[in-house]
Amino acid sequence: MRFLQLALASALAFTPATANAQSDSEMMFKNPSRLTQTEGKDIYGAICAGCHMPEGEGAVGAGKYPALANNETLEAAGYPIYVVIHGQRAMPPLGRVLNDEQIAAVVEYIRTNLGNNYTDPVTVEEVTESR
Amino acid sequence: MSSIEASMSRRQLLTMIGTAAGSAVMYNAMTTLGFAQASTYTGPIKLEGDPKGASVLILGAGLAGMTAALELRDAGYKVQVLEYREKAGGRCWTLRGGDKYVELGGAVQEVKFAEGNYINPGPWRIPHHHYGVLDYCKRLGVKLEPFMQVNHNAYLHHTEAFDGKPQRFREIASDYRGHVAELLAKVVNQDALDETVTPEDAELLLESLKTYGVLDENYAYVKSNETSEYRGWEKEPGGGVDGAPIPSETIGLAEILQSRLWTNLITGDSIDHQGTIFQPVGGMDMIAQGFEKQIGDLITYNAKVTKIDQNEDGVTVTYVDSNGGEAEQTASADYCICTIPFSILSQIEHNFSGEMTSVIDSMYYEGSVKFGLEFKRRFWEQDERIYGGITYTNLPISQISYPSTDYFSDGPGVLLGGYCWGATAYQFNALPPEERVARAVDYGAQIHPQYTEEFSNGVSVSWHRVPWVLGCYGIWRDKEAQYAAAAAMDGRTLMAGEHISYLPAWQEGAILSALDAVTRLHQHVVSA
């Protein structure tokens, strides 16, 4: 067990050296199977922004990633919650890499940012029920 | 959260998928990640009989589309191929110096590799039993060379083991095997296996363990000239006065177990990774170029398909210029072979059956990220005697693969500086390319300190940002239930590609599905 204690101690001390460290950089890659960020903005930046882009502007190629900016389909929280958990067409289901709290936080973030202003709160219970 | 979990091997990913999703998904993932069955390819197909002037429109000039085009043209069909990109190959793709790659979001990467260096962002290996790919390589004159999968002199690395110092694969493999053999021998000698093994077999088992684990006369795995023949020496045998070797210390079982470096010991033993395994000389897209030489005149490039309309008379496809043109053009034929990835096809207007549509709409594509890093010199060869092969690590880069070509050359060399899946790939996907590369260099420097001094330039391809596929291979929601519908002829169209196969993500799957599609199409045409 001594090894494990040592391992844990050095794991906590471990911070990847990065040339262009971002504010949330130490939160990245902590777990190979899940994201570990907890704030909606950080979760958006660590996963959603990869396809929907940093300002939610989306992207177009042979197909497209829809814009989340100024997106009226976000009016009812149930829709983005469902899509995040279960995926839709090209979008992978993210219910295994994000927990209910993270999904609630990121859905609340996209509904109140990126030009959207749907201020009714998103509850963890809604996410749990949508699984 | 301990960073002891900070990277994921294929095997760990499989364990996770098996636990979370059950056996059907597990099987799908196993075939994908390289624990699959052999190819069913039985030799060049013979499409006998008169196609009676029939025409076929093929959507996509990847390996599936070009295989179909080659065989159908040779059988007498009128063939036209529409391709979104400016060149053929699809995921059979190589980046070289001078290439420019624009990913979704608009980030531009200008590849600055030296002449002759390259990275394969997609498929990079051809297993010995992928008979279809190998046969087309032979027919198309594509030269192959061995790909070094297992290198006993490469490393196994874990940030929390051995003070973060990488260990030679050879030492961990030999010591793990030796200790396991010693333990089993102890059990046999304690007569603990009497009910499982006959006395005669127990004797044979002991004898075999001695050979297998390199045990001494007391069935112990110890420091000796014999074990050093496998794990390496403290001082190598030499010539002359001081030629006598010095055997090396073994690493204890507990230390190996706790290091978790055993995780990737058998990765190279799966049938898809066993020797011999090949790569095309000069880059994977030499296969694409080989096909293009044969049927390039049939391809219309920069054609972005916007609509597929089939009726009792034929198939009409509408397309626009991929570079932003508005003007619509159409192409028509009697039949269609559609190799457009379902991630793209689900966004194109079409009138396929409801059943086919539901499969198309349900398939998403997996994320994965690769890095090509060029260094000023081949320090892995010059300093560490690593010639090809793969180092595995729990760092987010997951692995480093050394080039299996141009050994001992003096110029710069390109490493595969990382190959990631899962949550790690999602997070790399969310970073701009230059930051992805910077992080891959930082992580790799924990294994090879020379990185810092020798790094020259790099490129990274995140498959969820590849504009023409949105992922690296198709994931079935329920393959058992959906596969037949997706493979069936739908009106006048047949689907083909790696997604319509039981070798997902492999080029062999793309070729076999195309051969199956053209065979069935031909039977339909000649019997009509």
Side-chain angles (χ1 to χ4, degrees):
Chain A
M1 286 302 101
R2 212 177 88 215
F3 174 84
L4 286 178
Q5 284 164 3
L6 286 173
L8 191 60
S10 54
L12 293 170
F14 170 72
T15 308
T18 324
N20 305 310
Q22 297 181 328
S23 59
D24 63 341
S25 96
E26 57 280 2
M27 286 302 293
M28 298 193 81
F29 309 123
K30 283 296 180 194
N31 183 315
S33 359
R34 306 191 65 86
L35 274 79
T36 54
Q37 295 82 357
T38 55
E39 300 296 320
K41 183 176 194 298
D42 294 338
I43 297 163
Y44 184 84
I47 184 164
C48 314
C51 296
H52 295 286
M53 301 298 145
E55 305 302 324
E57 63 269 38
V60 180
K64 67 173 182 178
Y65 289 127
L68 299 179
N70 308 308
N71 189 325
E72 290 176 4
T73 68
L74 301 175
E75 182 171 3
Y79 176 69
I81 288 172
Y82 182 88
V83 173
V84 170
I85 296 173
H86 301 285
Q88 186 184 72
R89 295 191 177 166
M91 172 153 170
L94 302 175
R96 284 187 209 141
V97 296
L98 296 172
N99 64 30
D100 292 357
E101 287 76 14
Q102 289 171 311
I103 292 171
V106 77
V107 168
E108 184 158 293
Y109 175 79
I110 61 172
R111 292 179 73 243
T112 52
N113 288 277
L114 313 175
N116 302 305
N117 192 25
Y118 304 107
T119 52
D120 51 308
V122 180
T123 65
V124 174
E125 289 69 36
E126 276 178 281
V127 180
T128 309
E129 280 165 24
S130 189
R131 281 205 180 255
Chain B
M1 185 63 60
S2 164
S3 68
I4 199 133
E5 298 173 88
S7 168
M8 185 185 286
S9 68
R10 289 183 164 197
R11 182 159 297 278
Q12 289 162 334
L13 180 65
L14 287 173
T15 307
M16 188 186 86
I17 293 170
T19 311
S23 59
V25 176
M26 177 75 176
Y27 176 80
N28 187 17
M30 281 180 74
T31 55
T32 301
L33 298 183
F35 297 85
Q37 67 278 46
S39 168
T40 53
Y41 183 77
T42 51
I45 57 165
K46 295 180 183 66
L47 302 178
E48 285 163 358
D50 184 3
K52 303 164 211 165
S55 58
V56 181
L57 184 56
I58 296 171
L59 306 181
L63 289 201
M66 290 197 288
T67 299
L70 180 66
E71 299 299 345
L72 288 171
R73 188 212 45 198
D74 287 356
Y77 288 82
K78 285 182 263 178
V79 175
Q80 182 182 1
V81 185
L82 297 182
E83 167 55 42
Y84 173 80
R85 299 172 74 200
E86 74 291 354
K87 63 178 176 179
R91 283 163 273 178
C92 174
W93 180 24
T94 299
L95 286 171
R96 302 180 179 81
D99 285 343
K100 186 171 101 170
Y101 166 53
V102 185
E103 65 178 28
L104 283 176
V108 179
Q109 295 183 79
E110 311 256 4
V111 186
K112 299 191 179 73
F113 296 163
E115 173 97 36
N117 286 342
Y118 66 86
I119 189 78
N120 296 318
W124 50 316
R125 301 173 283 206
I126 307 172
H128 74 281
H129 65 110
H130 283 189
Y131 310 125
V133 182
L134 292 173
D135 198 31
Y136 277 99
C137 285
K138 187 169 168 54
R139 286 165 64 185
L140 299 170
V142 177
K143 279 195 167 212
L144 300 176
E145 62 191 351
F147 173 91
M148 208 60 68
Q149 171 74 35
V150 178
N151 180 346
H152 288 73
N153 208 39
Y155 296 121
L156 297 170
H157 173 258
H158 196 296
T159 46
E160 313 302 339
F162 300 100
D163 296 325
K165 188 171 174 287
Q167 305 294 299
R168 299 282 185 180
F169 184 99
R170 177 183 55 247
E171 296 173 2
I172 300 298
S174 304
D175 292 354
Y176 178 78
R177 187 174 57 214
H179 288 305
V180 169
E182 179 184 307
L183 278 181
L184 184 51
K186 271 190 188 126
V187 172
V188 175
N189 281 326
Q190 287 164 0
D191 302 328
L193 293 181
D194 281 4
E195 294 186 7
T196 323
V197 183
T198 64
E200 293 76 18
D201 284 352
E203 280 305 309
L204 286 169
L205 178 55
L206 281 174
E207 201 181 324
S208 72
L209 289 171
K210 223 175 193 175
T211 305
Y212 179 70
V214 196
L215 307 182
D216 69 6
E217 64 280 6
N218 300 314
Y219 301 101
Y221 183 74
V222 296
K223 173 183 178 178
S224 67
N225 285 343
E226 287 72 25
T227 55
S228 288
E229 289 281 0
Y230 292 85
R231 71 179 317 287
W233 302 84
E234 173 71 33
K235 175 173 174 282
E236 296 268 341
V241 177
D242 293 324
I246 301 173
S248 60
E249 293 289 348
T250 61
I251 303 170
L253 176 63
E255 204 172 354
I256 291 178
L257 291 176
Q258 290 163 21
S259 75
R260 306 191 74 88
L261 293 186
W262 39 265
T263 309
N264 281 298
L265 283 177
I266 68 161
T267 302
D269 288 352
S270 77
I271 188 169
D272 290 327
H273 299 95
Q274 289 168 9
T276 310
I277 183 164
F278 296 99
Q279 64 181 12
V281 175
M284 188 57 83
D285 78 350
M286 299 307 282
I287 302 178
Q289 292 182 33
F291 272 109
E292 213 172 2
K293 269 180 211 144
Q294 299 292 319
I295 52 100
D297 57 318
L298 306 178
I299 304 174
T300 303
Y301 295 97
N302 299 305
K304 173 176 170 171
V305 172
T306 57
K307 185 179 176 187
I308 302 167
D309 181 48
Q310 54 173 359
N311 57 39
E312 57 272 19
D313 298 321
V315 184
T316 300
V317 171
T318 307
Y319 62 97
V320 297
D321 188 322
S322 303
N323 300 312
E326 298 279 312
E328 291 188 338
Q329 292 180 269
T330 58
S332 298
D334 299 322
Y335 299 96
C336 175
I337 290 183
C338 178
T339 73
I340 297 175
F342 282 4
S343 49
I344 303 293
L345 192 55
S346 66
Q347 305 184 37
I348 291 172
E349 185 185 346
H350 62 70
N351 62 350
F352 297 130
S353 69
E355 208 175 2
M356 181 68 86
T357 302
S358 78
V359 184
I360 294 168
D361 286 354
S362 76
M363 187 177 286
Y364 65 95
Y365 277 55
E366 187 65 81
S368 176
V369 183
K370 272 190 181 175
F371 304 85
L373 307 179
E374 184 168 71
F375 295 89
K376 292 172 224 160
R377 65 183 183 95
R378 293 180 164 233
F379 58 81
W380 53 93
E381 295 182 357
Q382 294 163 2
D383 304 351
E384 294 162 274
R385 301 285 174 184
I386 295 171
Y387 306 101
I390 297 175
T391 282
Y392 294 96
T393 173
N394 73 317
L395 287 165
I397 51 175
S398 175
Q399 59 181 270
I400 295 171
S401 176
Y402 312 92
S404 296
T405 193
D406 269 344
Y407 304 110
F408 303 103
S409 67
D410 288 326
V414 170
L415 298 177
L416 175 71
Y419 185 17
C420 334
W421 300 80
T424 306
Y426 279 124
Q427 290 172 83
F428 270 121
N429 184 58
L431 294 173
E434 61 275 16
E435 192 175 341
R436 279 182 233 141
V437 168
R439 283 176 183 253
V441 171
D442 281 345
Y443 288 127
Q446 295 183 43
I447 297 168
H448 296 286
Q450 302 99 315
Y451 261 49
T452 314
E453 189 68 25
E454 305 294 348
F455 176 69
S456 166
N457 69 92
V459 60
S460 124
V461 172
S462 177
W463 279 91
H464 272 150
R465 286 207 191 196
V466 175
W468 33 272
V469 58
L470 309 182
C472 58
Y473 70 95
I475 304 289
W476 292 81
R477 300 287 184 143
D478 186 351
K479 192 163 192 171
E480 208 171 315
Q482 297 176 304
Y483 189 81
M489 191 159 178
D490 191 288
R492 294 175 162 268
T493 302
L494 281 153
M495 302 293 169
E498 58 78 25
H499 53 307
I500 312 295
S501 82
Y502 278 83
L503 297 99
W506 288 101
Q507 296 178 123
E508 183 75 1
I511 286 179
L512 292 183
S513 82
L515 292 176
D516 181 63
V518 299
T519 302
R520 285 184 290 137
L521 176 63
H522 185 65
Q523 282 163 356
H524 175 85
V525 168
V526 296
S527 65

